[in-house]
Amino acid sequence: MDTIDGTDSMTIGEAAERSGNAASALRYYEQQGLIHASRSSGGQRRFERDVLRRLAFIGAAQRVGLELGEIRAALEQLPDSRTPTRRDWAKLSTAWRPRLDEEIAYLTRLRNQLTECIGCGCLSLKTCALYNPDDEAAERGEGPRFLLDDRSKRAN
Amino acid sequence: MDTIDGTDSMTIGEAAERSGNAASALRYYEQQGLIHASRSSGGQRRFERDVLRRLAFIGAAQRVGLELGEIRAALEQLPDSRTPTRRDWAKLSTAWRPRLDEEIAYLTRLRNQLTECIGCGCLSLKTCALYNPDDEAAERGEGPRFLLDDRSKRAN
DNA sequence: ATTTTACTTAAAGTCAACTTCAAGTCTTGC
DNA sequence: GCAAGACTTGAAGTTGACTTTAAGTAAAAT
């Protein structure tokens, strides 16, 4: 992996295996501007070590529920003049907390309503909060929408 | 809405408006076997009132994170000999609780790990639990995967 | 009776995040 | 120096839950 001039770059296959992503995913991420690759004389991609950290960040962000576009936007916040520090990375993920909090709160409300509904046996179209989600908080416009998807990205 | 023989059936437009779904969604649900419609002499769909309850159930199930195929399977559990009672409906949604519990637990773990990571400033590729989701519980096969998606289905 | 308005169908389009394919090129190991 | 394996590209395919479109029919209102 060490080339003759001492730089330590990876082929796409290596980067894929080390990061746990498919090579096709890395090509896609590059195309989407999430990661960068230089090229060999023959035109093949060469990744630097730091791509692994970016990929780890991308994976974590996806697990939190961000879309790639949002992740790209987040990555653009990183300083390009210097190598990002731990604090730079940590700062980015700070923004995730409110999202997680909100998501947890939403699911908890849903669960509590469900418990009530089962307890009372209602599930009435007119009165049940579970079946009428807009009762409490309608009107918010579209607002930011994000996904919590893809079980395969999750810890368990 | 009351026809001449006393039956109270709705056109697709009425059912759409009353349920809050697009007409195209109702056609899709019918095609997928989630709801049923009889036909007018001219071939147009006529829905009975009870379709509204089914649609409410479908909406709630989606908010919990079920896919349409799973929802169809759930709906097939309903007795077809008699009109479903409240208890029949409640029974179905009982199955949602463990899912919600699991989802909440997952997100809570993720949040706690995130807090730690920010606290220590690590976010290290090798050690950070957030960046290494398989540390704790790998190996579960594929298992059922479900989505929590589409903000528009949510209470807020 | 005629014009709207609402409905019908099948087929194609949408979105995100990839994967797969086909046809060809680069790099490596022997 | 050459076969094998890894890589390249653009384009098309995948999944789920729909929406949109086009061309035509039914029902309602006047």
Side-chain angles (χ1 to χ4, degrees), chain A residues 23-35:
Chain A
S24 60
L26 300 194
R27 287 193 200 98
Y28 180 70
Y29 291 159
E30 190 200 14
Q31 188 196 313
Q32 297 298 305
L34 291 164
I35 59 176

PDB file of all heavy atoms in Angstrom, chain A residues 23-35:
ATOM      1  N   ALA A  23     -17.530  -0.810  -2.947  1.00  0.00           N
ATOM      2  CA  ALA A  23     -16.808   0.082  -3.842  1.00  0.00           C
ATOM      3  C   ALA A  23     -17.769   0.983  -4.609  1.00  0.00           C
ATOM      4  O   ALA A  23     -17.502   2.176  -4.788  1.00  0.00           O
ATOM      5  CB  ALA A  23     -15.963  -0.736  -4.820  1.00  0.00           C
ATOM      6  N   SER A  24     -18.888   0.419  -5.003  1.00  0.00           N
ATOM      7  CA  SER A  24     -19.858   1.225  -5.753  1.00  0.00           C
ATOM      8  C   SER A  24     -20.382   2.376  -4.903  1.00  0.00           C
ATOM      9  O   SER A  24     -20.667   3.461  -5.424  1.00  0.00           O
ATOM     10  CB  SER A  24     -21.011   0.349  -6.237  1.00  0.00           C
ATOM     11  OG  SER A  24     -21.684  -0.245  -5.142  1.00  0.00           O
ATOM     12  N   ALA A  25     -20.480   2.152  -3.615  1.00  0.00           N
ATOM     13  CA  ALA A  25     -20.935   3.221  -2.721  1.00  0.00           C
ATOM     14  C   ALA A  25     -19.902   4.336  -2.670  1.00  0.00           C
ATOM     15  O   ALA A  25     -20.253   5.519  -2.688  1.00  0.00           O
ATOM     16  CB  ALA A  25     -21.198   2.671  -1.329  1.00  0.00           C
ATOM     17  N   LEU A  26     -18.633   3.963  -2.649  1.00  0.00           N
ATOM     18  CA  LEU A  26     -17.587   4.984  -2.611  1.00  0.00           C
ATOM     19  C   LEU A  26     -17.596   5.822  -3.888  1.00  0.00           C
ATOM     20  O   LEU A  26     -17.449   7.044  -3.842  1.00  0.00           O
ATOM     21  CB  LEU A  26     -16.212   4.345  -2.418  1.00  0.00           C
ATOM     22  CG  LEU A  26     -16.015   3.523  -1.144  1.00  0.00           C
ATOM     23  CD1 LEU A  26     -14.538   3.240  -0.913  1.00  0.00           C
ATOM     24  CD2 LEU A  26     -16.617   4.212   0.060  1.00  0.00           C
ATOM     25  N   ARG A  27     -17.790   5.151  -5.012  1.00  0.00           N
ATOM     26  CA  ARG A  27     -17.892   5.907  -6.280  1.00  0.00           C
ATOM     27  C   ARG A  27     -19.063   6.872  -6.216  1.00  0.00           C
ATOM     28  O   ARG A  27     -18.966   8.016  -6.637  1.00  0.00           O
ATOM     29  CB  ARG A  27     -18.085   4.944  -7.454  1.00  0.00           C
ATOM     30  CG  ARG A  27     -16.848   4.188  -7.798  1.00  0.00           C
ATOM     31  CD  ARG A  27     -16.940   3.476  -9.139  1.00  0.00           C
ATOM     32  NE  ARG A  27     -15.940   2.417  -9.186  1.00  0.00           N
ATOM     33  CZ  ARG A  27     -16.190   1.137  -8.936  1.00  0.00           C
ATOM     34  NH1 ARG A  27     -17.420   0.746  -8.677  1.00  0.00           N
ATOM     35  NH2 ARG A  27     -15.219   0.261  -8.966  1.00  0.00           N
ATOM     36  N   TYR A  28     -20.145   6.369  -5.673  1.00  0.00           N
ATOM     37  CA  TYR A  28     -21.337   7.211  -5.555  1.00  0.00           C
ATOM     38  C   TYR A  28     -21.072   8.410  -4.644  1.00  0.00           C
ATOM     39  O   TYR A  28     -21.427   9.539  -4.966  1.00  0.00           O
ATOM     40  CB  TYR A  28     -22.498   6.379  -5.033  1.00  0.00           C
ATOM     41  CG  TYR A  28     -23.780   7.139  -4.882  1.00  0.00           C
ATOM     42  CD1 TYR A  28     -24.488   7.577  -5.996  1.00  0.00           C
ATOM     43  CD2 TYR A  28     -24.288   7.433  -3.624  1.00  0.00           C
ATOM     44  CE1 TYR A  28     -25.665   8.289  -5.861  1.00  0.00           C
ATOM     45  CE2 TYR A  28     -25.475   8.132  -3.478  1.00  0.00           C
ATOM     46  CZ  TYR A  28     -26.153   8.553  -4.598  1.00  0.00           C
ATOM     47  OH  TYR A  28     -27.327   9.250  -4.460  1.00  0.00           O
ATOM     48  N   TYR A  29     -20.435   8.166  -3.511  1.00  0.00           N
ATOM     49  CA  TYR A  29     -20.133   9.254  -2.579  1.00  0.00           C
ATOM     50  C   TYR A  29     -19.214  10.283  -3.220  1.00  0.00           C
ATOM     51  O   TYR A  29     -19.364  11.481  -3.014  1.00  0.00           O
ATOM     52  CB  TYR A  29     -19.478   8.705  -1.304  1.00  0.00           C
ATOM     53  CG  TYR A  29     -20.400   7.891  -0.431  1.00  0.00           C
ATOM     54  CD1 TYR A  29     -19.882   6.991   0.487  1.00  0.00           C
ATOM     55  CD2 TYR A  29     -21.779   8.030  -0.508  1.00  0.00           C
ATOM     56  CE1 TYR A  29     -20.721   6.234   1.298  1.00  0.00           C
ATOM     57  CE2 TYR A  29     -22.620   7.270   0.294  1.00  0.00           C
ATOM     58  CZ  TYR A  29     -22.082   6.369   1.196  1.00  0.00           C
ATOM     59  OH  TYR A  29     -22.901   5.627   1.995  1.00  0.00           O
ATOM     60  N   GLU A  30     -18.265   9.796  -4.009  1.00  0.00           N
ATOM     61  CA  GLU A  30     -17.368  10.739  -4.673  1.00  0.00           C
ATOM     62  C   GLU A  30     -18.156  11.587  -5.673  1.00  0.00           C
ATOM     63  O   GLU A  30     -18.028  12.807  -5.718  1.00  0.00           O
ATOM     64  CB  GLU A  30     -16.248  10.001  -5.402  1.00  0.00           C
ATOM     65  CG  GLU A  30     -15.167  10.958  -5.902  1.00  0.00           C
ATOM     66  CD  GLU A  30     -14.322  10.354  -7.011  1.00  0.00           C
ATOM     67  OE1 GLU A  30     -14.729   9.311  -7.581  1.00  0.00           O
ATOM     68  OE2 GLU A  30     -13.265  10.912  -7.320  1.00  0.00           O
ATOM     69  N   GLN A  31     -18.985  10.933  -6.419  1.00  0.00           N
ATOM     70  CA  GLN A  31     -19.808  11.616  -7.410  1.00  0.00           C
ATOM     71  C   GLN A  31     -20.704  12.657  -6.742  1.00  0.00           C
ATOM     72  O   GLN A  31     -20.958  13.720  -7.297  1.00  0.00           O
ATOM     73  CB  GLN A  31     -20.653  10.558  -8.115  1.00  0.00           C
ATOM     74  CG  GLN A  31     -21.448  11.037  -9.302  1.00  0.00           C
ATOM     75  CD  GLN A  31     -22.525  10.024  -9.659  1.00  0.00           C
ATOM     76  OE1 GLN A  31     -22.265   8.822  -9.732  1.00  0.00           O
ATOM     77  NE2 GLN A  31     -23.739  10.485  -9.854  1.00  0.00           N
ATOM     78  N   GLN A  32     -21.155  12.351  -5.531  1.00  0.00           N
ATOM     79  CA  GLN A  32     -22.030  13.250  -4.795  1.00  0.00           C
ATOM     80  C   GLN A  32     -21.254  14.299  -4.002  1.00  0.00           C
ATOM     81  O   GLN A  32     -21.845  15.087  -3.270  1.00  0.00           O
ATOM     82  CB  GLN A  32     -22.910  12.461  -3.831  1.00  0.00           C
ATOM     83  CG  GLN A  32     -23.854  11.498  -4.509  1.00  0.00           C
ATOM     84  CD  GLN A  32     -24.843  12.190  -5.416  1.00  0.00           C
ATOM     85  OE1 GLN A  32     -25.557  13.084  -4.980  1.00  0.00           O
ATOM     86  NE2 GLN A  32     -24.860  11.814  -6.693  1.00  0.00           N
ATOM     87  N   GLY A  33     -19.942  14.282  -4.117  1.00  0.00           N
ATOM     88  CA  GLY A  33     -19.149  15.307  -3.449  1.00  0.00           C
ATOM     89  C   GLY A  33     -18.938  15.093  -1.968  1.00  0.00           C
ATOM     90  O   GLY A  33     -18.621  16.030  -1.242  1.00  0.00           O
ATOM     91  N   LEU A  34     -19.107  13.864  -1.492  1.00  0.00           N
ATOM     92  CA  LEU A  34     -18.930  13.610  -0.066  1.00  0.00           C
ATOM     93  C   LEU A  34     -17.491  13.246   0.268  1.00  0.00           C
ATOM     94  O   LEU A  34     -17.026  13.468   1.387  1.00  0.00           O
ATOM     95  CB  LEU A  34     -19.855  12.472   0.375  1.00  0.00           C
ATOM     96  CG  LEU A  34     -21.343  12.803   0.365  1.00  0.00           C
ATOM     97  CD1 LEU A  34     -22.164  11.538   0.419  1.00  0.00           C
ATOM     98  CD2 LEU A  34     -21.693  13.702   1.531  1.00  0.00           C
ATOM     99  N   ILE A  35     -16.809  12.644  -0.663  1.00  0.00           N
ATOM    100  CA  ILE A  35     -15.407  12.279  -0.461  1.00  0.00           C
ATOM    101  C   ILE A  35     -14.610  12.663  -1.694  1.00  0.00           C
ATOM    102  O   ILE A  35     -15.187  12.935  -2.754  1.00  0.00           O
ATOM    103  CB  ILE A  35     -15.240  10.755  -0.187  1.00  0.00           C
ATOM    104  CG1 ILE A  35     -15.794   9.949  -1.351  1.00  0.00           C
ATOM    105  CG2 ILE A  35     -15.914  10.358   1.114  1.00  0.00           C
ATOM    106  CD1 ILE A  35     -15.592   8.438  -1.212  1.00  0.00           C
TER     107      ILE A  35
END
